[in-house]
Amino acid sequence: MNQEVEIELKNLVNKQEFEQIMLHFGLTLASFVEQTNYYFDTTDFRLKELGCALRIRQKKNQYTFTLKQPHGEALLETHELLNEQTAHKFISGKLNEKSDMMNLLQHKLNIEPSSLRSLGSLTTCRAEINYQSGLLVFDHSMYLHHEDFEIEFEVKDAAQGKYEFEQFLQKFNIPKRKTPNKIRRFFDVKKSLR
């Protein structure tokens, strides 16, 4: 397992704004790579209550189990690479396999692996480019018969990144919008479908 601290600034955009920015940076559909996130939580949403998110990301033939935890202004991400067989067991709800992530959940967060359940998936077409002091990420996400468009800016310095991202939004005349993370948006749409 490995860990990293991630500072992400994000803003939802509409399709027209997304396409305008793509055009400006010379991105085409070929610039995007598809990835699918499979989300997990307990039946009583203990991870959500702790401000955490747990997912398996499938990108090409690689599966990464990731726990995101609050860490000041940033997120602490813990990653574990999974083989395809184990990933598919977890995704299908068989969460009794031994893994470093399950061990961490049990011993650090007091969450029994058997209490976890698969909540569904979100597929994102993503492109990334270096921009100013960070990485500019273009995400077109599809989930539960819904789609949205988001620009993320991943940086090392929160203050500098915030300034640069605000300048970026002004340059493209994009209003600053409240942008919950993907798992929160997924939950909100799922709740609205009940």
Side-chain angles (χ1 to χ4, degrees):
M1 280 202 318
N2 70 320
Q3 291 186 316
E4 64 180 333
V5 174
E6 183 177 78
I7 300 169
E8 276 181 344
L9 303 151
K10 357 169 139 252
N11 204 73
L12 284 167
V13 294
N14 62 38
K15 186 175 184 180
Q16 184 180 350
E17 291 165 342
F18 193 79
E19 290 173 346
Q20 171 199 1
I21 301 166
M22 276 179 60
L23 189 64
H24 176 84
F25 287 104
L27 297 173
T28 66
L29 291 178
S31 309
F32 288 77
V33 174
E34 187 175 290
Q35 60 189 34
T36 300
N37 290 345
Y38 299 90
Y39 294 115
F40 302 86
D41 206 332
T42 62
T43 49
D44 57 353
F45 297 101
R46 295 233 347 262
L47 286 167
K48 182 179 159 196
E49 284 176 19
L50 295 168
C52 298
L54 182 65
R55 69 160 190 239
I56 292 175
R57 173 172 286 167
Q58 177 186 357
K59 190 173 179 180
K60 298 185 181 168
N61 292 323
Q62 186 170 317
Y63 296 84
T64 307
F65 210 175
T66 299
L67 174 67
K68 292 189 175 197
Q69 298 170 270
H71 187 79
E73 285 187 45
L75 292 170
L76 175 64
E77 292 192 355
T78 304
H79 306 286
E80 177 184 11
L81 289 177
L82 298 176
N83 64 44
E84 186 174 5
Q85 182 182 10
T86 302
H88 282 292
K89 279 185 181 176
F90 287 159
I91 291 164
S92 68
K94 297 180 184 104
L95 293 152
N96 54 358
E97 282 287 311
K98 294 270 186 246
S99 83
D100 291 338
M101 186 67 73
M102 294 301 185
N103 201 26
L104 175 105
L105 290 166
Q106 191 169 18
H107 295 103
K108 297 281 188 205
L109 297 178
N110 204 25
I111 291 176
E112 284 299 320
S114 60
S115 69
L116 292 169
R117 64 185 176 119
S118 179
L119 301 173
S121 64
L122 177 148
T123 298
T124 299
C125 293
R126 170 174 282 189
E128 301 174 340
I129 59 167
N130 291 318
Y131 179 77
Q132 302 283 351
S133 67
L135 186 69
L136 200 58
V137 180
F138 297 73
D139 281 349
H140 173 204
S141 298
M142 293 140 287
Y143 51 101
L144 305 169
H145 306 291
H146 180 82
E147 72 174 348
D148 64 38
F149 300 87
E150 172 186 25
I151 303 296
E152 286 184 9
F153 191 40
E154 296 178 6
V155 295
K156 299 287 183 217
D157 181 286
Q160 182 178 354
K162 185 174 186 242
Y163 172 78
E164 290 171 355
F165 195 52
E166 285 171 357
Q167 293 296 307
F168 168 84
L169 293 175
Q170 284 177 13
K171 177 179 179 177
F172 290 97
N173 204 23
I174 295 169
K176 196 162 173 28
R177 299 181 178 111
K178 185 175 180 184
T179 304
N181 60 26
K182 285 181 184 66
I183 192 168
R184 164 68 55 212
R185 300 197 311 263
F186 175 87
F187 279 141
D188 289 346
V189 171
K190 190 169 181 128
K191 198 186 298 180
S192 74
L193 295 174
R194 288 183 186 159

